[in-house]
Amino acid sequence: MRVGDLGEFGAVSRISGRLPQGASVLLGPGDDAAIVSAPDGRVVVSTDLLLEGRHFRRDWSSGYDVGRKAAAQNLADIAAMGAVPTSLVVGLGIPADLPVGWLDALTDGFRDECAVVGASVVGGDIARGDLVVLGVTALGDLGGRPPVTRSGARPGQVVAVAGRLGHAAAGLALLEAGRDVPRDAGALFEAVEAHRRPCPPYACGPAAARLGATAMLDVSDGLLQDLGHLARAGGVRIEVDPGAFTVGEPVAAAAKELGADPVDWVLTGGEDHALAAVFPAGVALGDAWQVVGAVVAGEGVAVRGRDVERGGWDHFQ
């Protein structure tokens, strides 16, 4: 069966029927708008656009993969503000000949990624298109804490990272190289799966806020490039120590397979949606965070004393 056989309202009904609603949802799918509780009195909002052929390929990723990825990159933005995600709204453009099973899998991917943080898909819109396009808006609650923005870094503070880096880039490189990576390929398969389904450290966002983080963002376009956002917003210079990073086994295995530099993926690879944050010196960060650099007076980002002009993904470059 194809989506066109269902019709617009049949597709909407099918999607809604696969989406449970959490405690924060006062009115879910089916009306002109959803209603979600906001205990803090403030709502954190972020939105992302995913285009077939640009952010994912259907021959590389299943519908379930795409749903998990689309939800994860938006939920990570909420966590990066120090907030707890509560809900998603999804705009969906799909071809009429899209298999209904792919749509079901996409919906299940959204459902399962939201379940990781206790959020819900509360509504959205659907339209016919030539390719699969997803517009996702995420909402979150600060729990009474001030938001952790990008602009709070100050000289004398430290830069730390939570979550994995370079894994998604390594997996993408394997796919682009045409490597056949079966499920039993061990670390190489883990790298490919990291490209298909990021695993952001959601809980570390609110935890960083409680630890006193002064600036934070999620690493979507490459660590060096994203740290550049923190440096510009705070009017400071960030010096990165490449020796401080741990190269994960999937990254190392993919680098060996392709003859690449694994540290380059760690520093410039995007879509892992790790969290990078700035903390006052001396704060006990715990095992989830790895200190990778320092904030000093000046501007820009440097690695081993050399300025970084560009260190990641730019849609228009």
Side-chain angles (χ1 to χ4, degrees), residues 20-49:
Q21 301 299 299
S24 66
V25 183
L26 304 180
L27 181 64
D31 221 301
D32 288 327
I35 303 175
V36 180
S37 63
D40 180 84
R42 299 167 295 174
V43 178
V44 182
V45 182
S46 181
T47 191
D48 273 318
L49 187 66

Side-chain angles (χ1 to χ4, degrees), residues 265-292:
W265 286 332
V266 169
L267 294 178
T268 66
E271 296 197 308
D272 281 303
H273 299 285
L275 296 178
V278 177
F279 296 93
V283 173
L285 298 179
D287 295 338
W289 293 90
Q290 185 173 18
V291 176
V292 298

Side-chain angles (χ1 to χ4, degrees), residues 38-39 64 69 93 114 120 131 141 171 174 184-185 204 207 267:
Y64 186 78
K69 181 175 184 175
C114 284
S120 308
L131 298 171
D141 187 78
L174 288 167
D184 61 1
C204 289
L267 294 178

Side-chain angles (χ1 to χ4, degrees), residues 181-186 189 193 197:
V181 184
R183 185 172 292 276
D184 61 1
F189 182 75
E193 284 293 276
R197 303 181 195 173

Side-chain angles (χ1 to χ4, degrees), residues 20-281:
Q21 301 299 299
S24 66
V25 183
L26 304 180
L27 181 64
D31 221 301
D32 288 327
I35 303 175
V36 180
S37 63
D40 180 84
R42 299 167 295 174
V43 178
V44 182
V45 182
S46 181
T47 191
D48 273 318
L49 187 66
L50 290 87
L51 309 176
E52 181 180 352
R54 175 62 62 178
H55 298 95
F56 62 89
R57 284 175 45 170
R58 276 194 275 159
D59 56 335
W60 287 353
S61 298
S62 67
Y64 186 78
D65 294 332
V66 175
R68 294 292 297 253
K69 181 175 184 175
Q73 70 181 59
N74 284 271
L75 297 170
D77 283 335
I78 301 300
M81 298 295 292
V84 175
T86 60
S87 52
L88 295 181
V89 178
V90 181
L92 179 61
I94 49 176
D97 62 356
L98 186 76
V100 169
W102 199 95
L103 178 64
D104 288 345
L106 176 76
T107 306
D108 292 349
F110 271 102
R111 178 200 65 204
D112 290 352
E113 193 65 30
C114 284
V116 175
V117 295
S120 308
V121 178
V122 299
D125 189 29
I126 189 169
R128 178 174 176 171
D130 295 330
L131 298 171
V132 178
V133 178
L134 299 104
V136 185
T137 298
L139 309 177
D141 187 78
L142 286 164
R145 296 177 298 274
V148 185
T149 66
R150 297 181 176 188
S151 61
R154 297 294 180 264
Q157 297 180 334
V158 299
V159 179
V161 173
R164 60 195 190 187
L165 290 171
H167 290 61
L172 177 60
L174 288 167
L175 290 168
E176 288 180 330
R179 291 295 197 272
D180 179 22
V181 184
R183 185 172 292 276
D184 61 1
L188 293 179
F189 182 75
E190 291 181 37
V192 172
E193 284 293 276
H195 164 71
R196 292 171 175 151
R197 303 181 195 173
C199 294
Y202 299 117
C204 289
R210 291 190 290 267
L211 287 170
T214 60
M216 183 162 53
L217 45 55
D218 83 307
V219 182
S220 55
D221 296 324
L223 179 64
L224 297 183
Q225 183 154 294
D226 287 332
L227 289 180
H229 299 320
L230 296 186
R232 282 190 295 276
V236 295
R237 180 177 177 87
I238 294 177
E239 295 184 342
V240 177
D241 176 12
F245 293 90
T246 300
V247 175
E249 184 180 356
V251 180
K256 183 178 180 181
E257 175 75 14
L258 299 176
D261 180 359
V263 177
D264 183 59
W265 286 332
V266 169
L267 294 178
T268 66
E271 296 197 308
D272 281 303
H273 299 285
L275 296 178
V278 177
F279 296 93

